[in-house]
Amino acid sequence: EDSSGGEITKFLNTFNSKPLWAVEIEGSHVVHTQHKEVSGSDVSRTETVIDFTYKVDITHFISPFGYITTDNDAAVGKTIQDFLKDSNG
């Protein structure tokens, strides 16, 4: 049994992959067309045309470090110790 929390810390550091964040930007315009059918009825159509789409990786701007953090800003080591002391853990 690891009462110091060292093995838990090692596990968390091994599998601590930060999420990737990206923004997808799409430019488009709408085309409205109207024409008369042979029967004489008017037909109108609206179509959205996609001009460009690209993704920008913003991971570096949102989370540049990739460290383990806690919900309440407590030190990770203290959180692990609290977990080990908790009878429900």
Side-chain angles (χ1 to χ4, degrees), residues 13-62:
N13 283 328
T14 300
F15 297 101
N16 183 28
S17 300
K18 64 182 175 180
L20 300 178
W21 297 84
V23 175
E24 184 172 287
I25 301 168
E26 183 175 272
S28 64
H29 67 278
V30 177
V31 176
H32 301 282
T33 56
Q34 290 183 321
H35 68 276
K36 248 187 208 312
E37 292 286 324
V38 176
S39 64
S41 62
D42 289 330
V43 175
S44 62
R45 191 172 102 183
T46 303
E47 179 182 1
T48 300
V49 177
I50 307 297
D51 298 313
F52 61 86
T53 302
Y54 61 91
K55 291 182 182 177
V56 178
D57 180 1
I58 58 172
T59 305
H60 177 70
F61 299 105
I62 293 178

